[in-house]
Amino acid sequence: MKPERLVEFMKQMGPDSVAVFAGAHDVRRNADTDFEFRQETDFYYLTRLNEPDCVAVISPGHPEHKYVLFVRPRIREEEIWTGIRTGVEGAVRDHGADAAYDISSLSEILPRYLLNVDKLYYRFGNDAAFDQTVISTIKHI
């Protein structure tokens, strides 16, 4: 089931638009420790997903996938140290995504959701590396 805030946001977007929200990253404190993770506020408000390195694509006009999540895969050896992850299956099951993909496939799959769109909602300046991903995707299209 999709979060209510997400459903309301999709109603306000319009059918020929797409919104892209990037979640926060782990921030290294020193050689072997990270700062306590804090999710990007807008991302968490809409998705309720509190994991690093995730991206939400919201596309009310898409025929099948109106809400897509890109997440880290579940890798048992890493989860011992980082905690249990949602993974692709959990993104669909627990967070109401219509489709979910491994975050490593973002540059390959994101252009499919941005084709033939009149409006793209994206906030530049929050993550310079991801800004470049969005710009290069738009150039590619």
Side-chain angles (χ1 to χ4, degrees), residues 67-138:
Y67 173 42
V68 177
L69 287 172
F70 292 86
V71 297
R72 285 179 172 179
R74 293 202 61 197
I75 302 171
R76 185 177 186 282
E77 293 79 17
E78 290 180 15
E79 289 179 342
I80 291 170
W81 301 102
T82 63
I84 296 173
R85 296 179 184 161
T86 299
V88 174
E89 298 82 14
V92 174
R93 182 187 63 237
D94 302 334
H95 293 279
D98 298 315
Y101 303 97
D102 186 317
I103 191 67
S104 66
S105 63
L106 179 72
S107 60
E108 175 189 334
I109 296 174
L110 182 60
R112 299 179 199 170
Y113 293 100
L114 299 183
L115 284 172
N116 303 319
V117 172
D118 290 337
K119 292 180 185 175
L120 170 62
Y121 295 99
Y122 175 73
R123 184 178 64 181
F124 285 97
N126 215 28
D127 180 342
F130 194 72
D131 290 352
Q132 288 303 313
T133 299
V134 172
I135 290 168
S136 64
T137 300
I138 293 169

Side-chain angles (χ1 to χ4, degrees), residues 1 3 5 10-11 19 21 28 33 38-40 48 51 56 62 70 83 85 103 109 116 129 134 136:
M1 179 174 211
R5 293 173 177 169
M10 285 196 287
K11 287 179 187 174
F21 289 89
R28 183 73 49 194
T33 335
R38 183 182 186 287
Q39 186 60 276
E40 159 53 44
R48 292 293 186 232
E51 292 183 17
H62 194 279
F70 292 86
R85 296 179 184 161
I103 191 67
I109 296 174
N116 303 319
V134 172
S136 64

Side-chain angles (χ1 to χ4, degrees), residues 30-82:
N30 54 36
D32 61 350
T33 335
D34 291 338
F35 283 103
E36 184 176 344
F37 178 72
R38 183 182 186 287
Q39 186 60 276
E40 159 53 44
T41 304
D42 293 336
F43 182 87
Y44 184 75
Y45 180 83
L46 291 172
T47 67
R48 292 293 186 232
L49 180 59
N50 196 27
E51 292 183 17
D53 301 324
C54 298
V55 173
V57 177
I58 303 163
S59 180
H62 194 279
E64 297 175 51
H65 305 148
K66 297 177 185 335
Y67 173 42
V68 177
L69 287 172
F70 292 86
V71 297
R72 285 179 172 179
R74 293 202 61 197
I75 302 171
R76 185 177 186 282
E77 293 79 17
E78 290 180 15
E79 289 179 342
I80 291 170
W81 301 102
T82 63

